[in-house]
Amino acid sequence: MNKLAVGNIKMNIISKIERDNYLKILRDKLKGKTFEETSIIICPPAVHLEYFSEKIKKGNIFWGIQNAHWENSGSYTGEISPAMAKEMGADFEIIGHSERRSNFGETNDMVNKKIFSAFKNNLIPIMCIGENIDERKSGETKKVVLNQILEGLKDLTKSKVSKMIIAYEPVWSIGTGETPRGEEIMGVRILIQKILADQFGLTIKQMPKILYGGSVDYKNAREVCLSAGMDGVLVGGESLYPDSFIKIAEILEDKI
Ligand code: 13P
């Protein structure tokens, strides 16, 4: 898998009708298309995970959970465990999304625990990092990214870091229609790689996949991903529309 188109549906797709409609359009849009270079990963709300993963089984379509606890079972009312997510069809787990950090107090320490537990359950962690608007304005992007990586990946082995996915999602770009310039994204990619080389001794070949997320659509996908040298995208809003989302995957595949 060379490129990744990851869709984060967030807390959307409410009714069964909506759910079935989404799957119908997704299936139609995938018909007759083969993706050799690009894997598609969709992270629906947890309640739909089993249904989605049972209904669409295609070579390079995978499923992910948007968040999970670090424990596998126990007295954690309202939580979902990574073992459950795996059982219901997930192969990936988004961890430390900025909406979880800001709305639910998720810390780098919790992110770290979740990464360990994702691996333990054979889920590939997609760790989200990125600065908010104040941090950007005060020139703290590097500091924030460094800290999120060092604390989030604390005590992980080189081989585990190499197998995970890191998504650079500047908070100010999420849902705003604003994106950094291609060179800025590339700069952060280089920074992430430098941190991983220094801290874990990773060579370029051993680097994890690094994605860009924040207001990605099919019009800017080429710039924010391909031109910026990224390995894929983490898409929010546009992943609610299977036609646009599949178009993004085709752009990554360099088909359109
Ligand atoms: P938008 O694509 O809606 O900006 O959301 C990005 C995101 O948060 C993906 O995780």
Side-chain angles (χ1 to χ4, degrees), residues 63-177:
W63 304 96
I65 187 140
Q66 297 172 16
N67 170 52
H69 198 272
W70 54 84
E71 293 290 347
N72 273 347
S73 65
S75 304
Y76 299 98
T77 303
E79 291 292 325
I80 288 166
S81 90
M84 294 168 187
K86 183 73 193 179
E87 183 68 20
M88 297 303 154
D91 286 312
F92 294 83
E93 178 183 334
I94 298 177
I95 299 177
H97 190 281
S98 66
E99 286 153 16
R100 299 235 31 110
R101 292 178 189 260
S102 62
N103 298 329
F104 302 100
E106 205 154 296
T107 60
N108 289 331
D109 179 49
M110 289 155 87
V111 167
N112 183 252
K113 284 189 185 141
K114 289 182 181 199
I115 293 176
F116 272 96
S117 80
F119 273 124
K120 212 163 70 193
N121 289 286
N122 286 320
L123 293 167
I124 297 180
I126 305 175
M127 179 179 75
C128 300
I129 57 172
E131 80 286 1
N132 65 30
I133 189 66
D134 294 335
E135 292 159 343
R136 175 178 167 84
K137 281 185 180 155
S138 54
E140 286 179 273
T141 300
K142 279 187 183 168
K143 196 175 113 196
V144 172
V145 166
L146 175 69
N147 197 40
Q148 286 174 333
I149 293 179
L150 293 187
E151 293 184 7
L153 304 187
K154 189 167 170 276
D155 296 333
L156 270 136
T157 61
K158 178 175 171 172
S159 108
K160 288 275 189 291
V161 174
S162 176
K163 289 189 186 85
M164 62 182 292
I165 298 165
I166 296 179
Y168 170 56
E169 289 208 307
V171 182
W172 54 272
S173 169
I174 296 176
T176 60

Side-chain angles (χ1 to χ4, degrees), residues 6-8 10 94 97-99 128 169 173-177 213-217 234-239:
V6 185
N8 175 9
K10 306 190 181 181
I94 298 177
H97 190 281
S98 66
E99 286 153 16
C128 300
E169 289 208 307
S173 169
I174 296 176
T176 60
S215 296
V216 178
D217 57 28
L234 177 51
V235 185
E238 288 284 300
S239 71

Side-chain angles (χ1 to χ4, degrees), residues 236-254:
E238 288 284 300
S239 71
L240 292 174
Y241 308 99
D243 46 347
S244 304
F245 183 55
I246 296 305
K247 222 187 254 183
I248 293 172
E250 288 181 283
I251 289 167
L252 301 198
E253 180 93 349
D254 226 356

Side-chain angles (χ1 to χ4, degrees), residues 10-23:
K10 306 190 181 181
M11 198 172 72
N12 294 297
I13 304 188
I14 296 154
S15 64
K16 290 183 184 174
I17 293 174
E18 236 185 301
R19 176 192 71 183
D20 290 344
N21 207 26
Y22 185 91
L23 284 174

